DNA sequence: GAGCTCTGTTAGAGCGCTCTACTGATGAGA
DNA sequence: TCTCATCAGTAGAGCGCTCTAACAGAGCTC
């Protein structure tokens, strides 16, 4: 009983275990006759190799560990998709962990991910400490998406969040807006950068920055708008730059709830250009990040390191561009 | 060089390898003195157990394999979330594969998932053949979500798709609609059931069923509506029952593009009650499926089997309920 | 003080594979 | 005819761990 092993196949095919191993790995140095015999025996027994045993013996791994900050945010689902594509094409499997945007929980999740000794690790928008990242990077290649790092041992795939926010503000200013608030990403990854870009652009235009503390979720976006409405008397902002699309969606709901029309009363810009933004009924003006492309780039960077083709860090810095849709209008 | 092993820790702590193993597994039969010594040594070396080696030696696994039909559909992201919660709480990790809604690709993906000898497998909305499922179920527990099966060896978590569609149709009929078309889920999982429910309800009301072949994606939903508009002259349906929310979103876009207002000109009902439907600006009337709850139920069913607590199949059949929002209105 | 249980510890086999080093044919080249 | 490659195949160690059985030593009982 139990599943058949290589031993069973070998016995049935009348060959050694080593020969079965060679056949399973598609080695060319096996005669056609034996190969056929082995394959037939395997077929009859319903044998398929045990990936973990293989990995242990060969001291290699075909697993990539992926830690996602939040699976509900379509941004990450789309990045994972690109990563998955590259990985699968090169014979790697993904083991996925979600950290729920808490450094402590992400730390635990990362630990459990590493206990599988993956060939490489991709951290998508995570907030684990830089120290934890450094430690992890000593064990196997690490690539960060939507999170920057100065570590020379990790690769990164990011857009220029500062420039992205600036473009958003410039767009609003060009429409005549002056009171432009930012719903920020709090302690989320890349949030500081986007905040800085917003700040800089505002000052450049001689405007007063107003930052409302928020988070990368729809719930937080709605809450931030409610706070903003409660706090500001009649000096209500005429435009909002949200932390990301997911946050903007919440903001949109809260604005509607307060009887404010978008874009007639308030203009709104998101960030990421997720599938959400493209929904015709949201039609969110947003800053584009090429999500699956970023996933593919991350996968490729990781696999290059895994194969030992490169040791110097790679820093993909994508240039953000504004996608103007229906949530922004002249003042 | 290379990562430290149990051997290294044992040597450093001046104990046997077996003792280190006991400490790592939290055995009570270790003296405090030794336990402290081992933990310190492990700490100093930065040791953490090798999950795969452990799994191989103990002939047990702490991974659950998950195959998701489509990560872009928020329905699955939400189910995975519930599953992840249960799994993590009980010390299991998820290894995730996406099949891209093609039986052949899903078959391959399933094979690679099984090669890790997971403790159990969850198939979310997949379209692999029943035979493949049966084979897989011989190796380890299998739970199906959003897909039914008569196999006594697999557990299932579903809603009553037939009843769900009926409720949707009843709602539309009660609003005075007579020409109600169904954008179906094609060969997607549970699609036949939903189609049958639609059909039955229509006949019960003495109405003519009109089924437009579609799929569980937004792109397909949009295409189906365009076809529908092209084919029907002036006998245009006044209401649509979409395969699921994701499909409905596409339909919504295509309707808008054709200058048709929802719900003034056409009413629309989705299915799943994903986060998409709840978006204030979509405000999609839809049939509710409790997604994370379904994920949790699936996780629990799977783990019960994994622990050998149960051998008889469990069939969770959730009762669908209609969530009326803004996309449906009287004729 | 011999036998007993109980507690803490260890040796060593073995999980299912890979990989190195080796063997025994076969055929080419001198 | 005798090397000497070359090719197809195998034996056996070992990957990092768990688990069984066995074993000291302490503390009992009689």
């Amino acid at each position: 009983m139990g599943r058949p092993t290589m031993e069973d196949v070998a016995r049935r095919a009348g060959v050694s275990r080593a020969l079965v191993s060679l056949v399973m790995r598609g080695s060319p140095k096996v005669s056609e006759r034996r190969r056929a015999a082995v394959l037939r025996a395997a077929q009859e027994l319903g044998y398929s190799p045990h990936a973990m045993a293989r990995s242990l013996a060969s001291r290699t791994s075909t697993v990539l560990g992926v830690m996602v900050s939040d699976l509900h945010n379509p941004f990450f689902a789309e990045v994972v998709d690109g990563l998955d594509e590259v990985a699968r094409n090169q014979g790697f499997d993904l083991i996925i962990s979600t950290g729920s945007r808490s450094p402590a929980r992400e730390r635990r999740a990362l630990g459990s991910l590493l206990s599988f000794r993956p060939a490489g690790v991709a951290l998508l928008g995570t907030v684990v400490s830089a120290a934890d990242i450094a430690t992890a990077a000593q064990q196997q290649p690490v690539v960060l998406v939507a999170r920057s790092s100065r570590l020379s041992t990790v690769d990164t795939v990011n857009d220029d969040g500062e420039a992205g926010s600036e473009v958003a503000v410039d767009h609003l200013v060009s429409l005549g807006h002056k009171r432009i608030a930012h719903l920020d990403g709090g302690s989320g990854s890349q949030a500081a950068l986007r905040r800085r870009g917003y700040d800089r652009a505002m000052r450049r235009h001689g405007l007063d920055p107003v930052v409302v503390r928020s988070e990368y979720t729809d719930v937080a976006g709605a809450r931030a708008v409610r706070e903003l409405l409660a706090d500001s008397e009649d000096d209500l902002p005429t435009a909002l730059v949200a932390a990301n699309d997911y946050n903007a969606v919440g903001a949109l709901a809260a604005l509607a709830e307060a009887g404010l029309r978008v874009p007639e009363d308030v203009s709104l810009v998101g960030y990421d250009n997720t599938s959400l933004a493209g929904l015709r009924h949201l039609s969110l003006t947003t800053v584009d990040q090429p999500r699956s492309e970023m996933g593919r780039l991350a996968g490729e960077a990781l696999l290059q390191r895994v194969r030992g083709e490169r040791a110097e860090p790679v820093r993909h810095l994508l240039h953000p561009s504004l996608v103007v849709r229906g949530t922004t209008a002249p003042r």
Side-chain angles (χ1 to χ4, degrees), chain A residues 81-297:
Chain A
D81 219 59
L83 216 131
D84 185 67
E85 185 192 319
V86 177
R88 199 162 309 281
N89 280 343
Q90 316 212 13
F92 286 80
D93 286 281
L94 301 187
I95 152 163
I96 296 190
S97 215
T98 93
S100 321
R101 293 174 294 104
S102 132
R105 269 192 280 181
E106 283 191 3
R107 177 173 226 269
R108 266 194 50 214
L110 181 57
S112 123
L113 217 49
L114 294 186
S115 75
F116 286 92
R117 305 293 189 268
V121 169
L123 303 180
L124 313 186
T126 57
V127 291
V128 273
S129 73
D132 287 345
I133 294 180
T135 310
Q138 281 171 250
Q139 332 257 31
Q140 74 288 300
V142 170
V143 63
L144 305 178
V145 177
R147 156 122 192 207
S148 43
S149 165
R150 267 162 274 98
L151 286 171
S152 69
T153 47
V154 311
D155 299 327
T156 57
V157 179
N158 283 297
D159 80 331
D160 184 344
E162 208 164 331
S165 291
E166 291 198 57
V167 171
V169 172
D170 289 349
H171 168 62
L172 292 169
V173 169
S174 79
L175 292 173
H177 293 277
K178 300 224 177 311
R179 288 203 303 283
I180 305 171
H182 179 42
L183 314 181
D184 87 343
S187 54
S189 85
Q190 298 297 83
L193 223 60
R194 293 184 190 172
R195 197 159 46 223
R196 191 154 61 230
Y198 160 81
D199 231 82
R200 198 156 77 183
M202 289 298 278
R203 295 187 194 291
R204 176 157 47 74
H205 290 292
L207 301 173
D208 269 352
V210 178
V211 175
V212 186
R213 189 88 179 166
S214 189
E215 262 188 279
Y216 282 144
T217 67
D218 57 347
V219 174
R223 192 173 36 217
V225 164
R226 288 192 206 103
E227 282 171 23
L228 186 66
L229 296 178
D231 290 358
S232 39
E233 292 298 302
D234 34 44
D235 58 336
L236 221 81
T238 63
L240 300 175
V241 176
N244 64 356
D245 289 352
Y246 197 32
N247 177 286
V249 160
L252 217 42
L255 288 169
E257 178 187 284
L260 291 166
R261 291 162 308 163
V262 174
E264 293 82 354
D265 302 321
V266 181
S267 281
L268 177 65
V269 184
Y271 207 118
D272 287 349
N273 194 22
T274 56
S275 54
L276 280 176
L279 290 178
R280 183 158 182 133
H281 287 248
L282 294 188
S283 187
L284 187 66
T285 295
T286 189
V287 180
D288 182 57
Q289 290 204 70
R291 290 110 19 239
S292 21
E293 176 64 14
M294 290 172 79
R296 276 193 295 274
L297 286 173

